[in-house]
Amino acid sequence: MNPNAGRHLVALLLMIILLFIGFVSWFIIALTTSSALLGISTLVFFILLIIGVILWSLKRVKIKYLLFALLGISLSYAAIFVGYEVHRSYIANIPTINDGEVDLREYQPFREGTKVVLLNEESLLTLTTQDSLPRIDGATALYPLYSAFVRATYPQKEYNLYNSEVNGGTTPEAFRRLIEGEVDIIFCAAPSKKQIEEAKEMGKTFNLTPIGREAFVFFVNKENPVRDITCDQIRQIYSGKITNWRDVGGKNEAIKAFQRPEGSGSQSMLERIMGDTPLMKPLQNDRVGGMGGIIDRTAQYKNFSNAIGYTFLFFATGMVKNEQIALLKVDGVYPDRNTIANNTYPFVGDFYAITTDTKNENVERFIEWILSPQGQYLVEKTGYTPINKE
């Protein structure tokens, strides 16, 4: 019998075990992180272990030297892993500005202690349980407003955020549900070109009724010295032509320009601001999805010292209330109620009650009431600018 057979058999078993553990480790890391360095380091670590086993089986290296080498490799990998976890923890603790920060349950219409604005008199429109209640949905930032409409006019009961006549979702999902006939009205900013095309493909046309006005704002980390920016500079930043804060009066630091997911109300607004200027590819996070494919997702805003982001005024100041950011003046004008009302702030737009081909007879009554003094009172008291404010 070959005296080395036992050594080769042990080596073979060790390599099989290492291959299995290495593949499982790489797969878990790929699913749970977006770090290419950690994934590559894991592969290299196990490859070096397997090479070491092969050299041992061929008697090309003494066991004590092999053990020292493996110890060094293991310590190096451990240092990389610990460094990654420390960095990930640091990144995770940087404040964000995104829809997930807001607990919409706090704005449910009949929740005890709800944050929605209450009408200061009896509503002139009352929809009873015998009526066909309009099914509604809308943008996250507008949920506090249309929840206030519901509080004033709908029968009192619990309206589940995700499965009732009054849903609290996101702009892309609201448009999808409206197109597919799952809801009668949505409250959103104007649809994107893609959403208009999707509606046409289904044989539907959006009917937009302006119900209020809002400012589209840009913000930076409060430690960023830049406080004023021009319309043209914004377009150059988001087209990728301006890449350093020093070019707009700030520090010598690369600009990290975050965007929102396609189809969101704020992303559609940015696209309208850009006009014919091409929008650069957004910052992305990637993750391995089903069947091993890479899924790219638009990175959510992280309040790095060199970051810039955007949203709507009420969302930033009324719902999120993040004290670590600073809103920017645009062309010397600060976004607030007054500059929205007098149209001096350059990025002001209407938001709408949007319908398609609903047959619900109460939809028209509901929209008419929203445009009445009572509905516009709730628009203003919630934190928006009424459409008919003089």
Side-chain angles (χ1 to χ4, degrees):
M1 180 178 179
N2 186 343
N4 294 320
R7 179 189 293 264
H8 294 329
L9 180 60
V10 171
L12 179 61
L13 291 174
L14 284 174
M15 284 189 287
I16 292 173
I17 292 171
L18 288 173
L19 282 170
F20 176 76
I21 296 174
F23 175 76
V24 171
S25 299
W26 174 85
F27 187 72
I28 292 173
I29 288 171
L31 281 176
T32 58
T33 77
S34 58
S35 172
L37 175 62
L38 191 59
I40 292 172
S41 299
T42 301
L43 288 176
V44 170
F45 173 68
F46 281 96
I47 288 171
L48 290 175
L49 289 180
I50 291 170
I51 291 173
V53 171
I54 293 173
L55 292 174
W56 171 74
S57 70
L58 297 175
K59 295 184 177 181
R60 297 294 180 86
V61 63
K62 292 183 178 180
I63 189 66
K64 66 177 181 178
Y65 296 128
L66 177 62
L67 291 176
F68 281 131
L70 293 181
L71 178 61
I73 294 169
S74 299
L75 290 175
S76 298
Y77 178 75
I80 292 172
F81 184 81
V82 170
Y84 170 78
E85 288 299 323
V86 170
H87 180 261
R88 186 168 69 165
S89 176
Y90 163 73
I91 295 297
N93 287 324
I94 295 175
T96 61
I97 298 289
N98 61 83
D99 295 348
E101 285 189 72
V102 178
D103 185 356
L104 292 184
R105 292 174 298 177
E106 297 179 349
Y107 296 93
Q108 287 181 287
F110 295 103
R111 178 187 176 98
E112 183 178 355
T114 181
K115 291 183 176 181
V116 299
V117 173
L118 305 181
L119 198 60
N120 59 353
E121 59 186 3
E122 186 176 348
S123 175
L124 297 177
L125 173 67
T126 302
L127 301 174
T128 68
T129 53
Q130 285 72 40
D131 293 324
S132 179
L133 296 175
R135 300 164 300 164
I136 60 181
D137 203 340
T140 301
L142 289 173
Y143 180 77
L145 177 57
Y146 64 81
S147 182
F149 295 156
V150 168
R151 170 78 183 220
T153 61
Y154 277 45
Q156 181 173 349
K157 66 174 185 177
E158 179 182 355
Y159 293 95
N160 186 283
L161 280 166
Y162 309 107
N163 184 26
S164 70
E165 296 91 344
V166 185
N167 294 279
T170 63
T171 296
E173 182 66 9
F175 274 104
R176 182 198 66 79
R177 299 189 71 199
L178 180 64
I179 292 171
E180 296 182 5
E182 296 177 15
V183 293
D184 301 305
I185 316 172
I186 63 173
F187 296 91
C188 295
S192 67
K193 292 180 181 179
K194 183 178 179 181
Q195 288 161 338
I196 293 173
E197 289 301 318
E198 289 173 349
K200 285 183 178 179
E201 290 174 3
M202 297 289 289
K204 297 187 178 182
T205 302
F206 294 130
N207 305 309
L208 280 63
T209 303
I211 64 169
R213 312 201 76 205
E214 177 63 320
F216 184 65
V217 300
F218 291 83
F219 54 83
V220 296
N221 185 291
K222 70 174 185 179
E223 301 301 326
N224 190 326
V226 175
R227 288 294 182 271
D228 199 340
I229 200 166
T230 68
C231 294
D232 185 59
Q233 286 171 339
I234 288 172
R235 293 187 184 97
Q236 290 190 60
I237 287 173
Y238 278 96
S239 67
K241 293 180 180 178
I242 292 180
T243 59
N244 196 296
W245 282 110
R246 67 186 172 191
D247 296 327
V248 292
K251 299 177 181 178
N252 182 14
E253 197 170 14
I255 297 175
K256 189 180 287 289
F258 285 90
Q259 296 184 43
R260 296 297 311 281
E262 183 181 5
S264 65
S266 52
Q267 187 68 11
S268 297
M269 186 68 174
L270 178 66
E271 291 170 0
R272 285 190 284 276
I273 287 172
M274 296 296 290
D276 295 329
T277 304
L279 191 60
M280 68 179 178
K281 185 178 180 180
L283 298 171
Q284 293 182 319
N285 293 325
D286 58 80
R287 190 173 294 261
V288 175
M291 304 302 291
I294 299 295
I295 301 173
D296 289 329
R297 296 178 178 173
T298 300
Q300 70 175 9
Y301 177 85
K302 285 279 189 180
N303 197 30
F304 296 101
S305 61
N306 61 338
I308 183 172
Y310 50 81
T311 187
F312 291 99
L313 179 62
F314 174 70
F315 184 80
T317 61
M319 296 179 72
V320 175
K321 298 180 180 178
N322 189 317
E323 296 180 356
Q324 301 304 309
I325 63 171
L327 302 186
L328 296 177
K329 293 180 180 179
V330 179
D331 290 342
V333 182
Y334 189 80
D336 58 29
R337 293 281 195 88
N338 291 330
T339 57
I340 296 173
N342 62 25
N343 287 315
T344 55
Y345 182 74
F347 301 141
V348 174
D350 295 341
F351 55 88
Y352 305 87
I354 306 175
T355 62
T356 53
D357 54 0
T358 179
K359 300 298 190 294
N360 189 323
E361 61 183 14
N362 282 319
V363 168
E364 185 175 350
R365 294 175 60 204
F366 189 45
I367 293 177
E368 287 178 355
W369 178 84
I370 291 171
L371 294 174
S372 74
Q374 288 189 333
Q376 293 296 290
Y377 169 86
L378 292 178
V379 170
E380 182 171 20
K381 292 301 180 181
T382 297
Y384 292 100
T385 301
I387 196 67
N388 58 5
K389 187 177 179 64
E390 297 180 358

